[in-house]
Amino acid sequence: AWTVLDASGAALARAPVIVLACAGETDALLGSAGAAPLGLLDVPGELTHLPGSAVAGLRCVLTGAGYLLPPIDGVAVTGAVYGTPRADAH
């Protein structure tokens, strides 16, 4: 289980699963928590926001050479990875 602590070390919340949304800093965050790094690589890519109406009816993620996510709050996201991992990626 994961526990979120405040600055004084008091528990704020506990959960069996967490979502880390810190991109290239994920391994550093895991390391600071005593967890094993995932070995993620930084890979260049891009994304584009589309009006949700452009993909009306889409209910699942589409992937292949790129990806398209169903709309959330009226906005859909599409994108692709277009490079190889950076040489300095950890």
Side-chain angles (χ1 to χ4, degrees):
W2 291 87
T3 303
V4 177
L5 307 175
D6 66 13
S8 69
L12 295 173
R14 289 187 175 84
V17 176
I18 62 168
V19 175
L20 300 176
C22 50
E25 299 304 316
T26 301
D27 280 349
L29 179 62
L30 288 171
S32 71
L38 298 175
L40 302 176
L41 301 174
D42 294 333
V43 179
E46 66 178 57
L47 61 88
T48 301
H49 293 109
L50 302 170
S53 59
V55 293
L58 181 65
R59 300 284 181 254
C60 65
V61 175
L62 300 178
T63 63
Y67 59 88
L68 176 61
L69 308 178
I72 297 175
D73 295 332
V75 177
V77 177
T78 185
V81 172
Y82 59 85
T84 55
R86 289 188 352 220
D88 64 340
H90 50 279

